């Protein structure tokens, strides 16, 4: 074999992200040529015309030809890594947390993803309204973030009091854009679901596993050991926070205030082909699309499925944390979240049927040597603090503003 | 090239579609299949996309070379600490590569060799669409499946997927001769396949940072990459032992991953039947930049493979490794083939790897470790050796 070590540099160079050049986007010598050639991209205006035809065909479908369906999201806590894998039909993404909480910073965090999912459904609904009303749009991005309560509510921590900003390029009047926003929110199944108080119903599927476990050979560390490691990480984080609090009692409150009042949250960009790209934690991308019958190409899950997904990843994540807190031995955790969605909603004879998914429920599949009572208490503790469970359980509010022009990340 | 026609009944038996798993949830709203197929026409059409792409390619081909410049393509891979899996980042795009539990992974992402084959298929599919657009040939659906085949004569090469056979599943009113001509032109104009066919030796530069041998794991200092590699050693030794007791000859897979072209021109790679990666073109090529380009991903698979094999070799050599990252770079010249640049290759040039490692091991050990990695790394050797591609064409009716 040929030796290919051409040089050996001894240095501790940082792996700079700035060196992540624009690569293939950077081939033009002048901005003028670049701008000219970028008109080669498909146009959102064109897409809206096609979407209008698609929506009219969809609306003309008789409710007799349609049926209610069960929408499903599956989440698995991946063994030794502990990360959450979400699967919806053939789509997937990974949820994770940072190193300080026992994760490895390799996937999206749930509360941020959740807000992006809400924004995605609002963007989708905005496009639908624009298409139906024949209003041209050249670009659309929705940014969303939660805000602190104006009055103390005693609720557990989760992002709420949502403010979303619609960044838009359109020749339409301010009044038209505002009307679109109001109609879009009214017709968003996800915003409708989140605004209502919905208590997800739990079923526990418990399988016993032996308490004794030998790690060695091919029996590598697994979920049980991940949870032990997470316990160490959580205890260390707590000790650090307590030490900081002793040193500066106001600091934690300041940090919390900051966390509750982000100036910019995740955002959703609409591509000229109608596909939506969610940017989460500034560095992860998730695609949402529609099935063919709604004029999409099914390149990603729908936002209706996405919203069940974030409930699942959050409950799974908090279950891991609570198992660590309680020093439980848990060998596997997976979750199935289901709800019924009725495409007949609003059609003749179904005017009263809700556009939001109904009967939200989840099954916790768990393998553990712990007894049923311990598992029950563990999950009760999870439901008490799980951000998404409580976000669903409580009513929520949304406000919007409209900004003309492109979105800029801070 | 072989050209095979199969009837629809035989095609139904092909596992090329995960359509059956798709017919759930939001896909299942119609009571009758007939209604479903009527409403499926709401989706954008590939024919329409091809017309738009023709205009785009003509505008692109008309750009004078003086307006264009070569660019550096970059793919970054990080071995993620305790999880050990590989995170690939290309511009704002990312995916996770992993292996199964038996090899010390957690089955949380794509395996490199299968991904690599899908990347080749994706570039071929994009090239096929370009050729069809330029010639005004209608296509209603296009999927390319690809897999390696055993050597006909022993070659002594290290094990990796090779002797590629790809099958073009196409729905089109065009004649057999037209479809075959498209296939030949597509392969000739595929920048990734041109790169892979050639023997390209990639230099690996090492950037070395020394870390302390002593390490206490407790409190916030959780297990890291070092402990992952120790665990991987256990898994590898156990797997070797199991293989000794129950040797299984390696068999080439009969169907591999595939790339499907969406009606908007984006491509979806399906890997190991359960992971998707989306490829797209920048705006100037008529894309929406919804995913990385296949050219960038070809550099990416070299990076994920080198990172993965480095971890495995570190496990076998019982090394302490605290961090590992790989950057792959290459230059791509969009002027290739234009006036004055007729001899410029269409594939990325000057491929190179920088491997960043933090370890208490001495430099000489690191050097030996990386040499050993190069000796066995499948993708490194795919690039180093010449490769062959064959194709066949199968007509299908667009799935309704």
């Amino acid at each position: 074999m040929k030796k290919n070590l051409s040089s050996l540099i001894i240095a501790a160079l940082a792996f700079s992200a700035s060196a992540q050049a624009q690569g293939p986007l950077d081939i033009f010598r002048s901005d003028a040529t670049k701008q000219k050639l970028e008109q080669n991209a498909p146009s959102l205006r064109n897409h809206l015309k096609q979407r209008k035809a698609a929506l009219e065909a969809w609306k003309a479908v008789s409710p007799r030809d349609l049926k209610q369906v069960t929408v499903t999201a599956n989440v698995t806590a991946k063994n030794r890594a502990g990360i959450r894998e979400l699967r919806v039909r053939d789509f997937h993404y990974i949820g994770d947390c940072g190193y300080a909480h026992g994760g490895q910073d390799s996937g999206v965090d749930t509360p941020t993803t959740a807000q992006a999912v809400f924004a995605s459904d609002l963007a989708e609904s905005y496009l639908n309204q624009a298409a139906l009303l024949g209003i041209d749009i050249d670009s659309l991005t929705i940014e969303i973030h939660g805000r602190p309560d104006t009055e103390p509510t005693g609720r557990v921590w989760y992002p709420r009091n949502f403010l979303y900003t619609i960044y838009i390029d359109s020749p339409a009047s301010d009044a038209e854009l505002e009307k679109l926003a109001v109609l879009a929110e009214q017709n968003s199944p996800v915003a409708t679901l989140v605004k209502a108080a919905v208590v997800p119903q739990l079923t526990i599927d418990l399988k016993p596993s032996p308490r004794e476990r030998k790690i060695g050979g091919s029996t590598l560390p697994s979920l049980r050991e991940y949870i032990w490691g997470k316990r160490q990480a959580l205890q260390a984080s707590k000790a650090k926070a307590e030490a900081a609090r002793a040193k500066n009692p106001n600091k934690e409150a300041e940090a919390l205030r900051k966390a509750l009042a982000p100036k910019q949250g995740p955002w959703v960009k609409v591509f000229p082909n109608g596909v939506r790209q969610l940017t989460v934690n500034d560095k992860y991308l998730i695609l949402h699309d529609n099935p063919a019958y709604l004029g999409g190409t099914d390149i990603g899950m729908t936002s209706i499925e996405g919203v069940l997904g974030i409930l699942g990843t959050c409950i799974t994540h908090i279950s891991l944390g609570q198992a660590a807190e309680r020093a439980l031995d848990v060998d596997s955790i997976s979750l199935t979240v289901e709800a019924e969605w009725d495409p007949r909603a609003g059609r003749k004879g179904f005017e009263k049927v809700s556009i939001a998914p109904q009967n939200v429920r989840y099954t916790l599949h768990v393998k553990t040597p712990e007894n049923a009572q311990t598992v029950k208490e563990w999950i009760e503790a999870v439901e008490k603090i799980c951000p998404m469970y409580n976000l669903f359980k409580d009513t929520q509010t949304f406000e919007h503003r409209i900004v003309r022009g492109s979105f800029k990340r801070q | 090239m072989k050209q095979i026609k199969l009837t629809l009944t035989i095609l139904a038996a092909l596992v090329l579609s995960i359509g059956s798993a798709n017919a759930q949830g939001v896909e299942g709203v119609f009571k009758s299949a007939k209604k479903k197929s009527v409403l499926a026409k709401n989706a954008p059409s590939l024919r329409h996309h091809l017309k738009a792409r023709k205009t785009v390619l003509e505008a692109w081909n008309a750009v004078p070379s003086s307006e264009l410049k070569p660019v550096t393509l970059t793919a970054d891979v990080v071995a993620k600490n305790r999880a050990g899996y590989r995170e690939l980042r290309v511009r704002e795009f990312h995916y996770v590569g992993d292996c199964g539990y038996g090899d010390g992974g957690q089955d949380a992402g794509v395996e490199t060799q299968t991904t690599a084959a899908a990347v080749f298929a994706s570039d071929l599919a994009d090239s096929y669409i370009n050729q069809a657009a330029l010639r005004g040939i209608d296509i209603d659906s296009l999927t390319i499946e690809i897999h390696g085949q055993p050597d006909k004569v022993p070659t002594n090469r290290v094990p990796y997927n090779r002797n590629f056979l790809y099958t073009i599943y196409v729905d089109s009113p065009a004649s057999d001769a037209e479809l075959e001509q498209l296939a030949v032109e597509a392969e000739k104009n595929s920048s990734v396949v041109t790169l892979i066919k050639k023997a390209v030796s990639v230099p690996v530069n090492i950037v070395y940072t020394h870390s302390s041998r002593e390490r206490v794991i407790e409190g916030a200092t959780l297990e890291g990459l070092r402990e992952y590699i120790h665990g991987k050693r256990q898994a590898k030794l156990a797997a070797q032992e199991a293989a000794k007791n129950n040797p299984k000859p390696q068999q080439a897979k009969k169907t591999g991953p595939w790339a499907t072209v969406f009606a908007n021109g984006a491509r979806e790679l399906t890997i190991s039947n359960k992971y998707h990666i989306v490829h797209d073109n920048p705006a100037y090529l008529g894309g929406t930049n919804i995913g990385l380009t296949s050219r960038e991903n070809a550099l990416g698979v070299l990076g994920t493979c080198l990172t993965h094999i480095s971890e495995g070799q570190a496990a076998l050599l019982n090394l302490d490794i605290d961090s590992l990252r790989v950057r792959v770079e290459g230059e791509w010249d969009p002027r290739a083939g234009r006036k004055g640049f007729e001899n410029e290759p269409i594939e990325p040039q000057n491929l190179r790897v920088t491997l960043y490692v933090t370890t208490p091991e001495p430099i000489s050990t690191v050097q030996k470790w990386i040499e050993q990695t190069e000796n066995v790394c499948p993708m490194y050797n795919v690039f180093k050796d010449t490769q062959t591609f064959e194709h066949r064409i199968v007509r299908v009716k667009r799935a309704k």
Side-chain angles (χ1 to χ4, degrees):
Chain A
M1 287 286 158
K2 201 161 34 160
K3 193 173 161 238
N4 268 308
L5 284 174
S6 71
S7 74
L8 190 71
I9 311 158
I10 301 167
L13 288 183
F15 207 54
S16 71
S18 64
Q20 277 210 4
Q22 287 301 294
L25 303 187
D26 199 28
I27 58 168
F28 297 102
R29 290 201 191 272
S30 76
D31 281 349
T33 315
K34 186 172 195 242
Q35 275 162 20
K36 195 176 142 213
L37 265 291
E38 279 179 354
Q39 284 164 15
N40 275 346
S43 102
L44 187 54
R45 286 196 192 202
N46 250 346
H47 169 74
L48 286 173
K49 287 193 185 73
Q50 288 161 11
R51 188 179 278 232
K52 185 183 174 71
L55 287 175
E56 282 168 355
W58 167 245
K59 282 181 178 274
V61 177
S62 155
R64 283 194 312 275
D65 287 324
L66 297 171
K67 60 178 200 283
Q68 174 180 277
V69 286
T70 300
V71 180
T72 309
N74 288 300
V75 183
T76 309
K78 294 294 280 190
N79 215 334
R80 176 172 68 263
I83 54 174
R84 279 71 60 193
E85 184 186 55
L86 171 69
R87 289 208 160 256
V88 172
R89 290 183 285 142
D90 43 348
F91 307 107
H92 58 89
Y93 68 74
I94 285 173
D96 197 9
C97 52
Y99 291 104
H101 291 92
Q104 40 282 302
D105 189 26
S106 60
V108 293
D109 97 75
T110 296
T112 313
T113 312
Q115 295 174 79
V117 169
F118 308 159
S120 168
D121 202 60
L122 288 162
E124 164 67 14
S125 191
Y126 202 94
L127 285 188
N128 284 344
Q129 295 306 318
L132 287 169
L133 297 173
I135 291 175
D136 284 336
I137 296 181
D138 292 310
S139 83
L140 177 68
T141 296
I142 298 186
E143 178 272 340
I144 187 168
H145 60 267
R147 291 171 299 171
D149 295 326
T150 41
E151 309 264 321
T153 57
R155 291 178 172 188
V156 300
W157 182 84
Y158 56 76
R160 55 182 172 259
N161 313 310
F162 298 107
L163 172 66
Y164 62 96
T165 308
I166 301 165
Y167 292 86
I168 190 165
D169 269 323
S170 166
S173 70
D174 290 355
E176 284 173 317
L177 295 184
E178 176 59 25
K179 184 180 157 194
L180 286 185
V182 172
L183 285 174
E185 194 175 305
Q186 263 166 23
N187 286 284
S188 158
V190 168
T192 306
L193 171 70
V194 172
K195 282 179 185 177
V198 173
V199 182
Q201 296 302 308
L202 162 71
T203 306
I204 295 175
D205 165 25
L206 171 64
K207 287 197 174 62
S209 60
R211 178 74 68 181
E212 295 307 315
R213 194 174 133 77
K214 192 175 146 272
I215 305 167
S218 59
T219 316
L220 286 176
S222 188
L223 190 66
R224 195 189 285 209
E225 292 75 28
Y226 168 77
I227 290 171
W228 293 346
K230 196 173 177 76
R231 183 175 165 81
Q232 288 186 325
L234 289 175
Q235 284 174 342
S237 283
K238 266 189 195 164
K240 213 173 149 192
E242 267 164 36
R245 201 180 303 134
K247 213 172 156 192
N248 181 355
N250 295 326
K251 207 176 169 185
E252 199 187 21
E254 275 164 32
L256 188 65
R257 254 200 308 278
K258 238 182 184 170
L260 287 173
K263 289 205 184 89
Q264 193 175 76
W267 63 90
V268 175
K269 177 185 158 189
V270 174
F271 285 100
N273 49 27
V275 178
R276 285 149 284 142
Q277 182 187 58
L278 289 63
T279 302
V280 180
N281 305 126
D282 282 357
K283 60 177 185 175
Y284 298 108
L285 303 179
I286 298 170
L287 295 178
H288 282 179
D289 196 9
N290 287 320
Y293 59 84
L294 287 172
T297 48
D298 199 27
I299 214 168
M301 68 183 85
T302 63
S303 29
I304 291 179
E305 292 166 312
V307 78
L308 300 188
I310 51 111
L311 178 63
T313 56
C314 204
I315 296 173
T316 309
H317 188 188
I318 303 300
S319 301
L320 293 170
Q322 283 300 303
E325 287 275 351
R326 292 161 175 259
L328 304 183
D329 286 337
V330 179
D331 292 313
S332 93
I333 298 178
S334 68
L335 216 71
T336 305
V337 183
E338 288 170 304
E340 271 73 45
W341 173 63
D342 198 334
R344 297 169 303 185
R347 290 169 203 262
K348 210 179 158 199
F350 295 85
E351 292 86 353
K352 293 265 158 71
V353 172
S354 171
I355 57 167
Q358 298 295 305
N359 186 22
V360 179
R361 58 200 183 271
Y362 71 102
T363 307
L364 172 87
H365 310 279
V366 59
K367 233 190 210 169
T368 172
E370 311 293 346
N371 65 38
Q373 183 58 28
T374 307
V375 169
K376 193 170 160 270
E377 284 166 15
W378 164 42
I379 299 309
E380 278 169 2
V382 170
E383 289 187 348
K384 252 186 211 133
I385 60 160
C386 172
M388 287 306 121
Y389 180 89
N390 285 280
L391 182 142
F392 271 67
K393 186 176 74 56
D394 301 334
T395 59
Q396 306 300 337
T397 62
F398 287 82
E399 279 186 68
H400 70 270
R401 36 181 211 158
I402 297 173
V403 174
R404 287 184 186 265
S406 336
F407 167 78
K408 282 180 189 63
R409 71 158 76 184
Q410 282 175 356
Chain B
M1 290 290 158
K2 282 173 281 180
Q3 194 163 331
I4 296 172
K5 278 190 197 169
L6 296 179
T7 65
L8 276 179
T9 36
I10 300 173
L11 283 171
L14 286 176
V15 254
L16 250 185
S17 160
I18 28 177
S20 60
N22 267 347
Q24 27 161 308
V26 292
E27 299 282 358
V29 296
F30 296 101
K31 284 188 183 161
S32 76
K34 201 177 145 207
K35 201 76 196 172
K36 188 178 180 184
S37 74
V38 171
L39 267 291
K41 287 179 187 143
N42 274 347
S45 100
L46 189 54
R47 285 196 192 201
H48 191 263
H49 171 75
L50 284 171
K51 285 194 184 71
R53 192 181 275 224
K54 183 182 173 70
T55 314
V56 161
L57 287 175
E58 283 168 356
W60 166 246
N61 287 336
V63 178
S65 336
S66 58
E67 294 284 334
L68 299 170
K69 58 176 195 222
V71 283
T72 301
L73 307 179
T74 308
D76 286 320
V77 182
V78 179
K80 292 297 279 189
N81 214 336
R82 175 172 69 263
Y85 46 59
R86 281 68 58 192
E87 183 186 56
L88 172 71
R89 288 209 162 256
V90 171
R91 291 182 283 140
E92 70 263 46
F93 307 106
H94 57 89
Y95 68 74
V96 167
D98 198 10
C99 52
Y101 293 105
D103 291 313
Q106 40 280 299
D107 191 25
V110 293
E111 176 265 320
T112 293
Q113 286 204 68
T114 313
T115 311
V119 170
F120 308 158
S122 167
D123 202 62
L124 286 162
D126 193 47
S127 191
Y128 201 91
I129 292 286
N130 283 344
Q131 294 304 319
L134 287 169
R135 287 173 170 70
I137 292 176
D138 284 336
I139 295 182
D140 292 310
S141 85
L142 179 68
T143 293
I144 298 186
E145 178 273 340
I146 186 167
H147 60 270
Q149 305 171 100
D151 292 329
K152 291 188 182 86
V153 188
T155 57
N156 285 328
R157 291 179 173 189
V158 298
Y160 59 74
N161 260 337
R162 53 181 173 260
N163 312 313
F164 295 103
L165 171 65
Y166 62 95
T167 307
I168 302 165
Y169 293 87
V170 62
D171 182 6
S172 166
S175 71
D176 291 353
E178 283 173 317
L179 293 183
E180 175 58 25
Q181 194 202 355
L182 286 186
V184 171
E185 288 298 317
E187 191 175 306
K188 244 190 250 169
N189 286 285
S190 157
S191 124
V192 169
V193 166
T194 306
L195 172 70
I196 298 301
K197 281 181 179 174
K198 290 187 176 162
V200 178
S201 277
V202 184
V204 177
N205 297 326
I206 298 171
V207 177
Y208 170 93
T209 306
H210 189 261
S211 61
S212 151
R213 180 74 70 180
E214 296 306 313
R215 192 173 136 77
V216 183
I217 304 168
E218 60 176 0
T221 317
L222 284 178
E223 293 191 339
L225 188 64
R226 196 190 284 208
E227 290 74 26
Y228 167 77
I229 287 171
H230 292 170
K232 197 172 178 78
R233 178 175 169 82
Q234 290 186 324
K236 279 203 164 275
L237 295 179
Q240 278 178 356
E241 195 60 31
K244 219 187 290 164
N245 297 335
N246 188 14
K248 274 188 213 144
Q250 241 190 349
Q251 279 187 336
K253 284 181 184 150
K254 294 222 174 78
T255 56
W258 61 89
T260 298
V261 178
F262 284 100
N264 53 28
R267 282 150 282 142
E268 179 183 66
L269 288 62
T270 302
I271 294 148
S272 308
N273 284 302
K274 60 177 185 174
Y275 296 108
H276 287 166
I277 296 171
V278 174
H279 284 178
D280 197 8
N281 288 319
Y284 58 82
L285 286 172
T288 49
N289 195 31
I290 213 168
L292 67 169
T293 62
S294 30
R295 217 177 258 125
E296 291 169 304
N297 209 346
L299 305 193
V301 291
L302 177 59
T304 56
C305 205
L306 276 168
T307 311
H308 187 190
I309 303 301
S310 301
E311 290 179 313
Q313 291 301 311
L316 288 175
L317 294 168
N318 211 3
L319 306 183
D320 285 339
I321 306 294
D322 291 315
S323 87
L324 181 63
R325 315 179 274 216
V326 165
R327 170 168 283 182
V328 185
E329 289 166 300
E331 268 74 44
W332 171 59
D333 196 337
R335 298 169 304 185
R338 290 169 203 265
K339 211 180 154 196
F341 295 86
E342 292 84 355
N343 292 327
E344 189 66 35
I346 56 170
E347 73 276 17
Q349 298 293 302
N350 184 25
L351 259 57
R352 57 205 181 269
V353 167
T354 312
L355 185 136
Y356 301 78
V357 58
T358 309
T359 174
E361 311 294 346
I363 294 168
S364 58
T365 306
V366 169
Q367 240 172 327
K368 269 188 211 130
W369 163 45
I370 298 307
E371 273 178 57
Q372 198 158 318
T373 299
E374 290 175 3
N375 286 346
V376 298
C377 173
M379 288 320 300
Y380 184 85
N381 286 281
V382 165
F383 276 76
K384 187 177 73 57
D385 301 335
T386 58
Q387 306 299 338
T388 61
F389 287 79
E390 309 178 52
H391 72 270
R392 36 179 212 159
I393 298 173
V394 175
R395 286 181 185 269
V396 293
K397 279 282 157 218
R398 185 153 68 113
K400 292 284 193 278

